[in-house]
Amino acid sequence: MNVLELNDVTKKYGEFVAVDNLSLQIEKGKVVSLLGPSGCGKTTTLRIIAGFTSPNSGTVQIAGRDVGHLRPYERNVGLLFQDYALFPHMTVGENVAYGMRYRGTAQSAIPSRVKQMLSLVQLVGMEDRYPRHMSGGQQQRVALARALAIDPQIVLLDEPLSALDAKLRLELRVELKEILRSVGATTIVVTHDQDEALSLGDEVVVMGGGKIVQRGTPTQIYEAPADTFVAEFVGRSNWFRGASCAQSSNGTTLFVTKEGIEIRVKSELGRQHDTADLCVRPENVELVDFAASELVNIKDANVLSSKVLDVASLGADVHVVVELPGKSRLLVIRKNDGRTADLVPGQPVWAVFPASSVLAFEAPNVN
Ligand code: ATP
């Protein structure tokens, strides 16, 4: 059953179309991440669902009911918005109870529900504290408890973790995911952080220019992006534009860039394009010493001669930039497994990646 249905929703500010004829259905219990560049209409979409912004056209249904005429507090929506902070003059308990009071929940039912919510977010016993006496992470937990306390039909989270430092952000992300799953909350989360969007969402909706460009599981979005916009926006990528030269019997198609770099693509991905934009993910590239003998065993691989330009160790990962013929560059990300010291700038290496890992998108021409 769909808890949320947006049908042909458009929102204009003057002539500017912020949300463009957008339709979106979300099933009960699903967590959906909205991802897209700044200004693509994510927050406006959430505000329309919440009732803070009226669309110019289209309908919003929550649990099968058209809510277009309802005010925000009349919609059964739990909110954790960046600009919707805790009330500083209220205790934690009062903050969590706020939505229930506003909606006329029986007074006798409120204390036990507050306790239940604080237990869910691991803040038992903090009812009487004021927000200013809590850490940023604790305050966000209270805000989540407040959003969930009304037993909403849908939960809207706008940048729920952005105010926190990196370590806390990661911890709370895992906790947030567990909590949303444990209560079965149908949720839309907007975040700039791709890792957050991909890890929180059962599904990811990528938006661009007020429209939905692609919807899919995190794996589908990353491994089978619908177009260059999604491929470039989600994850890191190296790009080559090449003209198709030949199909070979091993099921690959050869593309050649104007610098003369030859890249093989699985034919089922590249065959239909005369000219294609080819995307190579940095983690799919292996760097192999020029003298290595194992090269002989690599099947259907692209093997490009290159030279190490830069090696940067970023903790768990090492980012290596190599130069290919014609001065084009390739970013390679490898796990920091102690082999980093092997690579030094100036060193010649083979950049190796399988034909099956290259994504191909039709492009207008080779120049
Ligand atoms: P961000 O990731 O930066 O928050 P977003 O995808 O959430 O961006 P929105 O906040 O939905 O984007 O804004 C979409 C577009 O609509 C932007 O270009 C923004 O400037 C414009 N916009 C939003 N609210 C208004 C408003 N009240 N008046 C005029 N233009 C607005």
Side-chain angles (χ1 to χ4, degrees), residues 9 24 27 84 90 92 94 118-119 129 167 220 224 259 277 282-283 285 318 339 353:
V9 169
L24 176 67
E27 270 174 56
Y84 191 66
M90 290 185 190
V92 165
E94 287 163 349
L118 290 181
S119 157
R129 287 242 193 136
K167 185 165 174 287
Q220 285 165 344
E259 296 85 11
D277 284 324
E283 68 278 12
V285 185
V318 182
R339 289 181 302 149
F353 49 94

Side-chain angles (χ1 to χ4, degrees), residues 157-360:
L157 309 175
D158 192 1
E159 299 286 355
L161 307 174
S162 64
L164 309 174
D165 66 55
K167 185 165 174 287
L168 189 57
R169 202 172 167 143
L170 198 59
E171 284 170 17
L172 214 55
R173 181 210 292 179
V174 175
E175 211 175 295
L176 177 61
K177 192 169 171 175
E178 281 172 6
I179 292 170
L180 293 174
R181 299 288 188 283
S182 72
V183 299
T186 310
T187 307
I188 304 184
V189 54
V190 163
T191 164
H192 275 96
D193 184 321
Q194 284 186 25
D195 288 352
E196 218 158 89
L198 296 178
S199 82
L200 283 173
D202 299 308
E203 284 188 280
V204 177
V205 169
V206 182
M207 285 183 69
K211 290 177 185 294
I212 293 176
V213 186
Q214 187 175 5
R215 175 180 185 162
T217 63
T219 309
Q220 285 165 344
I221 295 284
Y222 189 70
E223 292 182 1
D227 58 17
T228 53
F229 171 81
V230 178
E232 194 157 10
F233 189 73
V234 181
R236 291 172 188 267
S237 44
N238 295 290
W239 290 94
F240 300 91
R241 180 165 287 185
S244 152
C245 274
Q247 263 185 64
S248 73
S249 52
N250 66 1
T252 63
T253 300
L254 181 68
F255 286 83
V256 180
T257 71
K258 69 175 191 291
E259 296 85 11
I261 299 169
E262 297 189 348
I263 297 178
R264 290 195 172 280
V265 180
K266 271 261 181 230
S267 289
E268 65 230 44
L269 296 174
R271 181 173 33 212
Q272 59 276 49
H273 311 316
D274 290 334
T275 305
D277 284 324
L278 307 173
C279 170
V280 179
R281 298 289 194 193
E283 68 278 12
N284 290 333
V285 185
E286 271 288 318
L287 294 177
V288 182
D289 191 83
F290 253 38
S293 56
E294 72 252 41
L295 256 188
V296 180
N297 299 323
I298 300 170
K299 222 176 130 224
D300 293 350
N302 288 289
V303 182
L304 307 181
S305 100
S306 68
K307 187 175 77 179
V308 175
L309 276 187
D310 185 54
V311 182
S313 181
L314 305 179
D317 293 330
V318 182
H319 289 205
V320 184
V321 179
V322 299
E323 189 177 84
L324 300 170
K327 299 257 180 242
S328 48
R329 294 176 173 198
L330 187 75
L331 171 68
V332 180
I333 300 180
R334 38 151 78 177
K335 290 279 155 243
N336 196 354
D337 57 1
R339 289 181 302 149
T340 327
D342 302 350
L343 294 171
V344 286
Q347 182 182 345
V349 284
W350 299 112
V352 183
F353 49 94
S356 58
S357 72
V358 183
L359 302 168

